[in-house]
Amino acid sequence: AQSVTQLGSHVSVSEGALVLLRCNYSSSVPPYLFWYVQYPNQGLQLLLKYTSAATLVKGINGFEAEFKKSETSFHLTKPSAHMSDAAEYFCAVSEDSGGSNYKLTFGKGTLLTVNP
Amino acid sequence: EPEVTQTPSHQVTQMGQEVILRCVPISNHLYFYWYRQILGQKVEFLVSFYNNEISEKSEIFDDQFSVERPDGSNFTLKIRSTKLEDSAMYFCASKGDGQFYEQYFGPGTRLTVT
């Protein structure tokens, strides 16, 4: 069974500082991995995805994530935080559970606060 | 840009009442999902739907829940007799065909059971 662990329910950074949000996964087969962002009172928006091509994945808004199989990790980074990055971030794993279903299993989320 | 829409944005109901949450997936998508997020907890998979039938459901999705695609555009989640613990944000998602396609989420319906 697949699972996702996000270390740190709340991360606070200063504007301009590095953002690092941690995600570790467990999957019995090569996984597909996703980062979603949720702004207040909005739905889940895809930031980036890993689908077994390049291990370094670039997404929207300057975010990127690196898939490390040996560490079963898919950490999300951004070199310089912006106030508009304040949101909740969810890591998710997907595997084919039959019939090309690819349901998502989410982590608990990390709330990112950006201080001026 | 195409988007998934959900109505209502907020539903308040009394315990024991039936509720129907509505979703309009992206028009050329073939896979449809419902997830829920209880306040302060993770987003959880409820059910997936493909080719007019349920393809997978979680243990949360018991006999009180049902899904339907009544008219080729809407995708609904019905809870027959709501319980207090059904209070949550319910997200609809849709996906195109193919393993590399991501799921697109709607803005959610906040269900409050009193």
Side-chain angles (χ1 to χ4, degrees), chain B residues 2-111:
Chain B
E3 59 181 15
V4 177
T5 59
Q6 291 185 242
T7 54
S9 57
H10 191 187
Q11 173 94 45
V12 181
T13 189
Q14 290 188 327
M15 197 167 50
Q17 296 297 305
E18 174 184 288
V19 294
I20 297 176
L21 309 184
R22 291 182 168 79
C23 168
V24 179
I26 294 173
S27 62
N28 60 346
H29 283 186
L30 299 177
Y31 295 85
F32 313 110
Y33 306 82
W34 283 101
Y35 294 82
R36 79 172 186 189
Q37 184 181 28
I38 295 173
L39 190 63
Q41 297 187 24
K42 65 171 68 177
V43 178
E44 301 172 289
F45 168 78
L46 289 178
V47 66
S48 57
F49 193 86
Y50 171 73
N51 199 26
N52 285 320
E53 62 183 19
I54 291 174
S55 50
E56 185 174 354
K57 58 184 179 180
S58 71
E59 62 269 18
I60 303 169
F61 195 89
D62 60 22
D63 292 343
Q64 294 298 314
F65 292 88
S66 63
V67 289
E68 194 177 33
R69 189 158 161 78
D71 56 13
S73 63
N74 290 284
F75 180 50
T76 63
L77 174 69
K78 182 192 291 186
I79 309 175
R80 288 190 184 83
S81 178
T82 50
K83 308 182 189 72
L84 293 176
E85 55 265 36
D86 293 328
S87 294
M89 181 73 90
Y90 288 80
F91 292 106
C92 173
S94 68
K95 184 177 81 69
D97 196 11
Q99 62 191 71
F100 298 127
Y101 281 63
E102 64 264 27
Q103 294 181 28
Y104 288 82
F105 283 78
T109 293
R110 180 166 297 285
L111 176 65

Side-chain angles (χ1 to χ4, degrees), chain A:
Chain A
Q2 55 197 25
S3 67
V4 174
T5 302
Q6 289 185 242
L7 295 175
S9 59
H10 188 192
V11 170
S12 183
V13 301
S14 298
E15 192 173 19
L18 171 72
V19 175
L20 171 60
L21 305 182
R22 299 177 187 274
C23 171
N24 289 88
Y25 71 90
S26 170
S27 176
S28 57
V29 297
Y32 301 122
L33 293 159
F34 304 83
W35 276 98
Y36 282 86
V37 60
Q38 184 179 30
Y39 298 101
N41 301 314
Q42 294 188 30
L44 298 163
Q45 179 184 3
L46 181 71
L47 270 180
L48 49 79
K49 64 181 179 182
Y50 167 77
T51 56
S52 75
T55 56
L56 182 62
V57 181
K58 294 189 185 298
I60 62 172
N61 302 336
F63 284 94
E64 61 182 39
E66 186 172 9
F67 172 70
K68 292 187 177 180
K69 185 179 178 180
S70 60
E71 298 177 9
T72 60
S73 69
F74 190 57
H75 301 331
L76 181 71
T77 60
K78 181 173 180 177
S80 177
H82 192 273
M83 297 295 288
S84 61
D85 294 327
E88 187 146 27
Y89 292 80
F90 294 92
C91 181
V93 63
S94 170
E95 60 183 42
D96 184 6
S97 49
S100 298
N101 181 27
Y102 295 100
K103 69 177 183 184
L104 292 172
T105 299
F106 284 87
K108 287 190 174 182
T110 298
L111 181 65
L112 175 65
T113 302
V114 182
N115 303 307

